[in-house]
Amino acid sequence: MQPFELITANTIPDAVKAQASSTTAQQGAPVRYIAGGTNLVDFMKLNVETPKQLIDINGLSLDKVEQMPDSSVRIGALARNSDVANHALIKEHFPVLSQAILSGASTQLRNMASTAGNLLQKTRCVYYRDTASACNKRQPGSGCAAIGGHNRMLAILGTSDHCIASNPSDQNVALAALGATIHITGLKGERSVPISEFYLLPGNTPQNETVLAPGDLVTHVSVPLLPAGTRTGYLKLRDRASYEFALASAAVAVKLNGGRIEFVRVALGGVGTVPWRSHEAEKALQGKAPTPENFRAAAVAAMHGARPQSQNGFKVELAKRCLTHALTQVTQQA
Ligand code: SF4
């Protein structure tokens, strides 16, 4: 690990001003925010991240989970994953988010990890973590060792010829299904970005993962209430039962009315370069009866455009079965 300076931000404007001296908000920035540190410090130990300065933002009052006058739920950027997953408002209105968070990492990590840190969680691609390997995301223009290399865990949707890294988060998949909005304060003031526009596909510039600019600080996430009667759930398939990343996962929200699907949201994890909202699956399900055949047809639609690599072709069928099973579970809830 490289030496670094640690400073403490007492206000949001102070934090934004200090981080804005970086030329990028992405990986490799010389000034980085730190909250729980469960992801960033790992990468600093590996010299993948070598910031000259860390800005400790834990003193900013951004750790609350609360219901707003418009009934949406506001989750502070510094709310710890454990606190969010176990919060009464989240368990009541968004069980899918609680389940997704609790399916990830370990209790100790969830106690430290923050909501915004989880939003910005880095890929588990092994080459990204190895500074001796070619990796366009870590070192633009150096190549992608994963294409033709070890890519069993990596993405099949949203990939490019420059990067096939999967987004590793469970929380983000649930937030994508819930249509969350990310609230940001930057040098030019405050702005709000739908989660569907927050993440960037890798394209030719996989080093740019989000719309965040230098200085931008995620302050909170807002989640609108679902229509009354909507049931939600998260299903995660992985190599072992705990402390493991998804091979495929599905976050679903379904409301039935008169034996038909009146409202539906679908997002997939483990298979996309970004948390993968599947409008194809939603379109296939809208207005249909909740039958195994219709669920399977939606799962097939969800995999439209999938581009498997040498070792992860199994994910296409796995993701289909994961989504089919998640929809079955949610629609059979009492
Ligand atoms: Fe790097 Fe992306 Fe290729 Fe992995 S998949 S080696 S993160 S460029």
Side-chain angles (χ1 to χ4, degrees):
M1 183 188 284
Q2 303 290 317
F4 60 89
E5 179 191 17
L6 178 66
I7 65 168
T8 301
N10 296 315
T11 67
I12 292 174
D14 284 352
V16 167
K17 202 170 159 197
Q19 207 277 335
S21 62
S22 286
T23 54
T24 173
Q26 313 291 335
Q27 183 266 335
V31 184
R32 302 277 274 152
Y33 296 126
I34 186 164
T38 55
N39 206 222
L40 178 59
V41 174
D42 277 356
F43 286 112
M44 289 172 65
K45 290 177 185 169
L46 294 166
N47 285 328
V48 171
E49 291 273 3
T50 54
K52 300 281 183 289
Q53 187 180 70
L54 293 182
I55 306 166
D56 183 344
I57 56 173
N58 286 296
L60 306 178
S61 297
L62 297 171
D63 59 352
K64 300 208 172 29
V65 178
E66 53 198 337
Q67 193 145 27
M68 304 309 288
D70 67 356
S71 294
S72 67
V73 174
R74 172 183 168 132
I75 304 171
L78 295 172
R80 303 296 152 172
N81 286 181
S82 294
D83 293 336
V84 176
N86 294 312
H87 198 284
L89 278 173
I90 302 300
K91 292 210 288 198
E92 178 186 352
H93 297 295
F94 313 117
V96 63
L97 179 57
S98 181
Q99 292 164 17
I101 292 172
L102 292 175
S103 75
S106 64
T107 304
Q108 291 87 346
L109 286 168
R110 292 193 296 268
N111 287 344
M112 287 298 293
S114 67
T115 297
N118 200 334
L119 278 177
L120 302 174
Q121 190 180 163
K122 295 293 183 179
T123 181
R124 304 303 295 185
C125 175
V126 292
Y127 303 106
Y128 181 76
R129 304 170 67 85
D130 175 13
T131 56
S133 295
C135 173
N136 287 322
K137 187 184 282 295
R138 177 173 35 74
Q139 190 176 354
S142 64
C144 174
I147 296 176
H150 293 288
N151 51 49
R152 180 175 177 274
M153 293 291 292
L154 302 185
I156 55 175
L157 291 167
T159 59
S160 75
D161 292 338
H162 300 272
C163 183
I164 57 170
S166 46
N167 187 291
S169 170
D170 297 293
Q171 167 196 275
N172 302 344
V173 182
L175 290 175
L178 292 168
T181 297
I182 316 301
H183 300 267
I184 300 161
T185 297
L187 283 175
K188 294 179 185 166
E190 300 175 6
R191 70 188 197 279
S192 303
V193 180
I195 194 167
S196 58
E197 297 170 19
F198 183 73
Y199 295 100
L200 303 175
L201 292 173
N204 297 330
T205 54
Q207 70 275 19
N208 298 329
E209 298 185 333
T210 68
V211 297
L212 292 179
D216 278 351
L217 177 72
V218 174
T219 55
H220 61 282
V221 176
S222 59
V223 188
L225 290 192
L226 296 164
T230 302
R231 295 169 182 160
T232 73
Y234 188 72
L235 179 64
K236 177 176 179 177
L237 304 181
R238 46 190 158 172
D239 282 326
R240 59 184 181 189
S242 69
Y243 199 17
E244 182 58 284
F245 294 85
L247 290 167
S249 68
V252 298
V254 181
K255 180 182 180 184
L256 298 176
N257 190 355
R260 301 275 159 184
I261 296 172
E262 182 180 272
F263 173 89
V264 61
R265 292 272 183 77
V266 172
L268 301 173
V271 291
T273 52
V274 299
W276 198 262
R277 175 93 177 263
S278 180
H279 296 286
E280 294 90 347
E282 293 173 9
K283 193 172 167 203
L285 290 164
Q286 188 68 45
K288 301 279 175 53
T291 64
E293 296 75 23
N294 287 334
F295 292 162
R296 177 73 187 180
V300 170
M303 286 296 106
H304 178 73
R307 265 182 70 187
Q309 300 294 322
S310 55
Q311 297 177 341
N312 65 4
F314 72 96
K315 283 194 175 190
V316 176
E317 181 58 26
L318 191 71
K320 288 178 190 170
R321 294 186 188 198
C322 183
L323 177 54
T324 302
H325 201 68
L327 290 165
T328 304
Q329 283 184 328
V330 163
T331 53
Q332 288 181 351
Q333 285 174 12

